Amino acid sequence: MKCLLLSLGLALVCGLQAATLPPTMEDLDIRQVAGTWHSMAMAASDISLLDSETAPLRVYVQELRPTPRDNLEIILRKRENHACIEGNIMAQRTEDPAVFMVDYQGEKKISVLDTDYTHYMFFCMEAPAPGTENGMMCQYLARTLKADNEVMEKFDRALQTLPVHIRIILDLTQGKEQCRV
């Protein structure tokens, strides 16, 4: 009986942990994601993560640079003090080629959900809002600034498969965002 209770408790804990992690792309080739990218849409489980120009996770990806050790340097822009500031984040590889750890406002996990390498990439980052244990911010990146409604719909469908309720808050396909290159 003790074994049964222990097994059930362990299964519940493992199930809860798995529920916070999005499904990732299998066999991501980090070398093929190198180059220029543009943030086309942003989504979050909590609107406060993206609701203003200076919101904590409202960042615009510009470029991805794989390192010789298969880490990923992320070049981005963010609005601070009424100006766009360029910065970079080093994403450390993990055992899963589609998952990286970053130290951005605390240690967070970034997961690549899907990419075709030449047109789009979808990624999500763990992003607990203040007072919550779990949360998520996701972005649709594109190689060009040309809007693609089919890919936008695919992004929306990918968000529906996530273990937390998440919705698109910023649709940047119209190119009106000031901090985007």
Side-chain angles (χ1 to χ4, degrees):
M1 185 63 148
K2 287 181 182 178
C3 273
L4 179 61
L5 287 174
L6 183 60
S7 297
L8 181 59
L10 186 59
L12 286 172
V13 169
C14 290
L16 286 174
Q17 184 179 11
T20 62
L21 301 175
T24 59
M25 180 177 174
E26 291 183 26
D27 302 324
L28 177 72
D29 181 349
I30 193 169
R31 302 282 166 228
Q32 289 190 54
V33 302
T36 300
W37 289 95
H38 304 277
S39 296
M40 298 301 282
M42 296 181 196
S45 58
D46 183 321
I47 195 167
S48 69
L49 298 170
L50 300 171
D51 67 348
S52 70
E53 286 185 342
T54 57
L57 296 178
R58 193 158 168 176
V59 296
Y60 305 89
V61 175
Q62 285 185 252
E63 186 179 351
L64 299 177
R65 296 178 186 159
T67 69
R69 293 188 173 191
D70 290 336
N71 293 321
L72 190 61
E73 183 179 12
I74 304 168
I75 310 303
L76 53 84
R77 294 173 69 87
K78 180 170 178 45
R79 186 164 282 293
E80 289 181 12
N81 300 322
H82 306 290
C84 288
I85 307 299
E86 186 173 302
N88 69 336
I89 299 172
M90 187 58 70
Q92 304 294 322
R93 70 185 178 107
T94 65
E95 289 180 13
D96 183 336
V99 176
F100 300 86
M101 294 301 295
V102 296
D103 188 5
Y104 183 75
Q105 299 180 357
E107 191 168 87
K108 294 180 175 35
K109 189 176 292 187
I110 293 179
S111 303
V112 177
L113 303 181
D114 191 15
T115 184
D116 70 352
Y117 301 107
T118 58
H119 298 97
Y120 71 90
M121 175 189 291
F122 307 149
F123 76 88
C124 291
M125 182 168 79
E126 291 176 344
T132 65
E133 280 188 32
N134 59 15
M136 199 172 289
M137 181 280 295
C138 300
Q139 281 199 31
Y140 151 31
L141 303 179
R143 291 285 190 178
T144 69
L145 288 171
K146 185 174 182 262
D148 187 329
N149 291 334
E150 253 182 65
V151 176
M152 188 66 167
E153 289 172 14
K154 187 173 185 170
F155 179 57
D156 190 41
R157 286 191 305 272
L159 296 177
Q160 293 172 21
T161 68
L162 297 176
V164 295
H165 176 70
I166 194 163
R167 63 188 174 105
I168 296 173
I169 295 171
L170 292 171
D171 179 349
L172 306 171
T173 58
Q174 304 306 310
K176 294 179 181 168
E177 187 62 38
Q178 297 172 356
C179 205
R180 211 169 81 174
V181 178

